[in-house]
Structure formats: structure tokens, C-alpha cells
Amino acid sequence: MLNNMIRPVLRYPSMFRTPPLPLKPMRLVRQPARFVTNESKKVWKADAQDTMVDDQRRLRNKSAAMYAAAGLITALGLTYAAVPLYRAFCAATGYSGTPMTDASRFSEPSRLVPSYNDPLNEARATERVRVSFIASTSDRIPWSFTPEQREIFVLPGETALTFFKAHNRTDHDIIGIATYNVVPDRIAPYFNKIECFCFEEQKIRAGEEIDLPVFFFLDKEMLEDKETRNVKDVILAYTFFSARRNPVNGQLEPDTDLSRYTVGKDSL
């Protein structure tokens, strides 16, 4: 009997399987078809161009900002170096009545031989040039400052040594800095200083008096320059200022506005 019950199951198995659960109906959402038109292409192209223009503008602005920052840094650097660079330039070229301090000008011994005859006329003896010395101080520095010699006569190519005397009349130490110029301006490129106290801090103690040397010569080439060959009077002027500390670079400098300080007037 059991066999009779199992035999139909084995023979027709699909009749005895558990029917599957019914599936939930799926809801299909139809998306509208997108069509690429010429108008949409134009819109996309315009958007891409606007994006590219914005990127280029940002890049230009960034470059401009970098150049501006570099220019500012360069300007600040030049500001720090303006005073020493100006001094070096004037000392090397004789600009604005500044006597020459270039060591190469007196490194050749032939330059330090007096010229007794006019190089343009050997039969004519060279006349001596009178060099006068002037010393002054600013109102802010209580020193007495005078040349020990009022004038000296030299030949072109002849070396000369003179001294200035500075006296601190106060009861405290003072640091001063001297500026200088030569008149007339056109002789400055030929006025060479081998030793000078200018633009160097000079500390004088209370009540102390010191001698400050100046060792110089007039270059013989002045006799070959039509602008200077007839110059017979030269003035070398020094002015002492109290020293102040530059708040930017910390260097000592004259306590005055040098832009208002007239260096040399071509009046002789």
C-alpha cells in the first residue's frame, strides 16, 4: 500500500511541488527620450567657453598677484640697500660732487706722480690747484668741528694729507657721521680720496678731541678734460650729523633728511 502511495509521487513529481509565491507586479516608469539639438550644442559650447575664460582669468589674476608680490619684495630690498648703494655709486662715479673713493684709481703708481707739465702743452708748466676745506655741524650735534688747514696747493697727481679736528663739548659720549662734497661738481670724478672718515661712525667720548685725517689727490686726467683743465680752485666740504639707528635695517645713518642736503654746486 505504501508503494502504491509513493509511486505516483515519483512518477509525477511536478504535481506534488509547492507552488511558488506570486510576484508583485513591477511598475515601469517611462523616461522621456532626450534628443541632442543644435541649440543644446550651442549652449554646451558656450558653457565650456565660459568655464575656460574663467580659468584663464583666475590664472592671470594669480600671475599678476605673484608679480606684484615679487615687485614689492624687490622694492623693499632696494629700500634697505638704497643708502649704501647710493654711496657706492657716488663714490665710484663722482656723481653729485662726491669725491672718488674707488681704490683702482690709485692702485697704479703712475697715477700718483705729480704732473709738472701740461700734457697738452709740454712747454707749459702745470699750475697748482688750491684746495680749500670747510667743516660744519648740524644743530643736533654739540661738537666743534674745524679743519686744521684752511687750504692747500697741490699739483694733479700729487698726494696730500690734511686733518680735521672734532671736539665733543658735552659730558656724554656721542656718535656722529660726516657727509662730504666737492665744489665744483665737474671736478668730483678726478678728486680721489685714499683715506677718509666720511660716512663712518665716529664715537667721541665726553670732552674728547680727536684728529680725523683725509688723504687725497687730484687725478692727472683732469688736465686732459676741457671741462676741468682750467679749474684752479676746489672746495672740499664736510658736515657732521648725529647718528641715528635706522629702524628698518638697524644701520647707523646721519640724523637728517639727505634728500634736502645739497651736495655740491658747480659755481666755481
Side-chain angles (χ1 to χ4, degrees):
M1 181 177 178
L2 182 59
N3 292 334
N4 293 334
M5 294 177 64
I6 296 174
R7 188 177 296 114
V9 174
L10 295 176
R11 188 171 184 179
Y12 306 103
S14 58
M15 296 176 60
F16 299 95
R17 291 179 181 175
T18 304
L21 297 175
L23 297 176
K24 295 182 179 180
M26 298 181 64
R27 186 176 181 181
L28 300 178
V29 179
R30 301 183 63 182
Q31 298 291 339
R34 293 185 180 180
F35 298 97
V36 179
T37 61
N38 292 332
E39 294 296 332
S40 60
K41 288 182 179 180
K42 292 180 180 180
V43 172
W44 294 344
K45 186 176 181 179
D47 293 341
Q49 289 179 349
D50 292 342
T51 303
M52 183 174 63
V53 170
D54 292 339
D55 292 341
Q56 292 177 350
R57 185 181 297 109
R58 284 194 294 269
L59 182 60
R60 286 196 300 268
N61 293 340
K62 184 178 180 180
S63 300
M66 293 179 65
Y67 280 117
L72 179 60
I73 294 174
T74 303
L76 290 176
L78 292 177
T79 301
Y80 297 154
V83 173
L85 287 177
Y86 180 77
R87 294 174 187 170
F89 170 76
C90 292
T93 62
Y95 177 75
S96 286
T98 304
M100 299 281 286
T101 56
D102 185 4
S104 63
R105 304 281 293 185
F106 47 83
S107 60
E108 300 179 8
S110 61
R111 288 184 176 271
L112 303 180
V113 177
S115 179
Y116 296 100
N117 296 318
D118 191 337
L120 301 183
N121 185 2
E122 292 293 337
R124 178 185 176 185
T126 304
E127 297 182 25
R128 288 184 175 270
V129 179
R130 181 176 65 178
V131 181
S132 303
F133 305 103
I134 296 177
S136 60
T137 60
S138 70
D139 296 336
R140 297 185 181 182
I141 186 168
W143 287 2
S144 62
F145 178 51
T146 57
E148 296 190 5
Q149 290 179 281
R150 290 295 178 181
E151 60 185 23
I152 190 172
F153 292 84
V154 297
L155 288 171
E158 181 181 14
T159 58
L161 176 64
T162 188
F163 289 88
F164 288 76
K165 188 180 296 292
H167 179 209
N168 182 1
R169 303 190 304 267
T170 67
D171 56 357
H172 58 277
D173 301 347
I174 298 178
I175 298 178
I177 295 180
T179 61
Y180 58 88
N181 65 292
V182 62
V183 180
D185 286 353
R186 60 184 183 274
I187 201 65
Y190 304 104
F191 197 109
N192 296 271
K193 293 194 285 67
I194 302 174
E195 179 65 31
C196 179
F197 57 88
C198 46
F199 281 113
E200 295 180 357
E201 58 178 276
Q202 304 293 334
K203 182 177 182 179
I204 304 181
R205 300 185 181 279
E208 184 182 13
E209 186 177 74
I210 62 174
D211 291 328
L212 302 170
V214 178
F215 191 32
F216 68 94
F217 72 96
L218 293 173
D219 199 315
K220 293 185 292 185
E221 291 182 357
M222 65 171 287
L223 298 175
E224 301 176 7
D225 187 345
K226 64 180 182 180
E227 298 292 333
T228 57
R229 61 179 281 104
N230 294 321
V231 173
K232 302 305 177 186
D233 288 279
V234 176
I235 298 176
L236 179 63
Y238 286 87
T239 302
F240 250 114
F241 298 91
S242 60
R244 66 183 176 190
R245 187 73 63 180
N246 189 303
V248 178
N249 53 31
Q251 296 180 352
L252 287 175
E253 61 184 13
D255 188 13
T256 185
D257 184 3
L258 291 180
S259 63
R260 300 181 180 179
Y261 178 65
T262 303
V263 285
K265 292 182 179 179
D266 203 356
S267 58
L268 297 180

